[in-house]
Amino acid sequence: MLWLIGMMGSGKTTVGMAVAAHLGLDFVDTDLLVASVTESSITELWDDEGEQSFRHLESQMIASAAAGEPVVVATGGGAILDRTNIDVMRSSGLVVWLTAAPSTLAERVGRDGSRPLLAQADDPVERLGTLVEEREARYREAAHATVATDGKTVESVADEVLAVWNAS
C-alpha cells in the first residue's frame, strides 16, 4: 500500500495516478470516495454537514482502503489531522509526503471554489502558508519519506516516489 499525503495542490492525485499506472495497481482518492459515497461534492458535504462529518467519512475511507488489496491512495490534505489515520496509514504501507511551497500550491489550485479551506481566503498563498505551518508536524509524523514537488514535472515526481517505493 502506498499512501500519498500533503497539502492541496501538492500533486497527490496526479502523481498517484502515474505511480499506480507504473506499478500496475489501482488508484484511490479518498476525497473522491467520500464524494461518491455521499453522492455530493466535498464543498456540499462541508457546507451541509460540516468539517467534522467530512473528516469522519475520510477516516472511514482510509480504514477501508487499508483493509483492502494494495493500491496507491491519495488522501485529503487534512487526513493527518486525525492521529488514527496516521497510525492506519503507517501500519498498512509506505507513506510519502509530497511537499510544495505555499506559492506553488496556490498557483496549482488557484481560487478553486471547490476547496472549502480556500473558498473564503482573501490571499490563497497566505492561507496555504498558515495551513502548512499548522500541519507540518503531523505530516512529518506520518511520513516515511518526503518528496518535494516544486518546479518538477509529474513524471519526475512519480519517479522519485517510485524510487522511495523500490527502496522500502
Side-chain angles (χ1 to χ4, degrees):
M1 186 80 57
L2 174 61
W3 300 92
L4 298 177
I5 63 171
M7 288 293 299
M8 63 183 93
S10 63
K12 299 179 303 284
T13 299
T14 309
V15 171
M17 289 188 292
V19 170
H22 182 81
L23 293 174
L25 296 174
D26 286 337
F27 172 75
V28 173
D29 182 309
T30 60
D31 283 350
L32 295 178
L33 284 177
V34 168
S36 175
V37 166
T38 61
E39 297 181 350
S40 63
S41 72
I42 299 301
T43 302
E44 291 169 338
L45 178 63
W46 199 280
D47 289 345
D48 296 343
E49 304 293 328
E51 181 178 3
Q52 185 174 358
S53 178
F54 169 77
R55 296 289 177 211
H56 177 72
L57 289 166
E58 178 179 58
S59 293
Q60 289 179 335
M61 298 305 112
I62 288 170
S64 177
E69 295 295 316
V71 294
V72 176
V73 182
T75 66
I80 46 74
L81 296 174
D82 183 332
R83 192 165 308 283
T84 301
N85 291 342
I86 293 173
D87 294 342
V88 167
M89 290 185 290
R90 285 187 62 87
S91 66
S92 64
L94 176 69
V95 182
V96 177
W97 176 22
L98 300 183
T99 66
S103 58
T104 300
L105 299 171
E107 182 179 305
R108 290 177 182 167
V109 299
R111 291 199 169 273
D112 186 346
S114 71
R115 306 214 183 233
L117 292 174
L118 282 186
Q120 305 300 319
D122 291 331
D123 182 350
V125 175
E126 182 180 323
R127 177 69 176 131
L128 288 162
T130 299
L131 287 169
V132 169
E133 286 177 25
E134 291 171 353
R135 296 175 176 181
E136 185 172 9
R138 289 288 180 99
Y139 283 129
R140 288 191 189 288
E141 178 185 346
H144 292 104
T146 302
V147 174
T149 66
D150 291 291
K152 297 177 183 173
T153 65
V154 171
E155 295 77 20
S156 66
V157 174
D159 286 346
E160 288 185 51
V161 171
L162 287 164
V164 171
W165 173 263
N166 291 330
S168 68

